Amino acid sequence: MNLHFTIKNFFNKILRKNKSGVEYARYLGVSVGNNCRIYTRYFGIEPWLICIGNNVTITSDVTILTHDGATWLMRDSKGRRYLYRKVEIGNNIFIGKKSIIMPGVKINDNVIVAAGSVVTKSVPEGKIVGGNPAKIIGDYNLYKQRVLSSYVSDEDMDFSKSYKDRILEVLDNGLKPEYDEK
């Protein structure tokens, strides 16, 4: 590893510890809108190719890729091949833990990406996607209606209590059903 890379990695480690996720992403060159929560540090080596809209949550260990590294294997008399693509993340987006966003993907507005998803194609507005590779598994607006009508609200929470006590007070003790054998 050359000295330039060693110094850059050292300063990136310091910055990661001292900056919020949004500040760190902007420092790297990611375009980030307003009211965002970013908990990942994995923006690849071309972060300036990433554009994030408003009201976006990117959870921990999400990886956003902007190049196809496998092209390194492809060489001929003209040399190695490269493929770089932008990634666009719209407004009102939630990207779950450990998801991977592949090069050239556009995530349109009002989208939820389930945890652990590998997003290989652009996502239409108003959808929920999940899986590997990610597929459409739900509708954003139907989910929103269900959440607003039946989930705990700020008004339902007693913020004078400790975090643990107020969560235990509103906890849903139900467990999900088992998978059906088919």
Side-chain angles (χ1 to χ4, degrees):
M1 187 182 300
N2 69 32
L3 183 59
H4 172 75
F5 250 164
T6 304
I7 292 170
K8 183 178 177 184
N9 287 340
F10 172 75
F11 282 109
N12 278 341
K13 285 179 185 176
I14 291 171
L15 285 168
R16 287 180 195 172
K17 291 178 184 174
N18 297 324
K19 288 189 178 289
S20 74
V22 170
E23 291 172 320
Y24 181 69
R26 287 180 177 148
Y27 168 79
L28 294 177
V30 177
S31 173
V32 181
N34 298 315
N35 196 34
C36 292
R37 300 181 309 160
I38 297 176
Y39 301 105
T40 191
R41 300 292 198 244
Y42 304 116
F43 300 104
I45 55 175
E46 304 90 22
W48 59 89
L49 296 177
I50 301 168
C51 181
I52 299 170
N54 300 316
N55 304 313
V56 173
T57 297
I58 301 176
T59 59
S60 59
D61 299 323
V62 169
T63 300
I64 303 172
L65 300 172
T66 55
H67 69 273
D68 181 347
T71 61
W72 182 82
L73 299 171
M74 311 308 158
R75 299 166 191 239
D76 62 12
S77 62
K78 292 170 64 176
R80 182 178 159 195
R81 296 302 190 270
Y82 303 87
L83 177 66
Y84 302 97
R85 289 191 171 159
K86 293 181 179 183
V87 171
E88 294 182 16
I89 298 170
N91 302 308
N92 303 315
I93 308 293
F94 178 88
I95 302 176
K97 186 173 179 72
K98 293 192 176 186
S99 292
I100 300 171
I101 312 302
M102 298 300 287
V105 164
K106 179 177 182 178
I107 300 175
N108 285 283
D109 296 346
N110 303 314
V111 166
I112 296 171
V113 176
S117 298
V118 179
V119 183
T120 61
K121 296 180 181 180
S122 293
V123 182
E125 183 172 342
K127 299 298 178 190
I128 302 170
V129 297
N132 178 8
K135 297 185 181 344
I136 295 173
I137 60 172
D139 181 85
Y140 181 92
N141 288 321
L142 292 175
Y143 178 71
K144 181 178 177 179
Q145 288 173 359
R146 186 171 76 227
V147 169
L148 291 175
S149 68
S150 60
Y151 286 30
V152 175
S153 71
D154 285 336
E155 193 174 278
D156 301 325
M157 304 269 280
D158 184 352
F159 286 92
S160 68
K161 295 183 177 182
S162 73
Y163 180 73
K164 181 179 178 180
D165 287 341
R166 77 173 169 263
I167 297 305
L168 290 173
E169 186 175 81
V170 298
L171 178 67
D172 178 346
N173 283 304
L175 298 174
K176 295 189 175 209
E178 294 179 354
Y179 288 102
D180 290 332
E181 289 186 46
K182 291 186 179 186

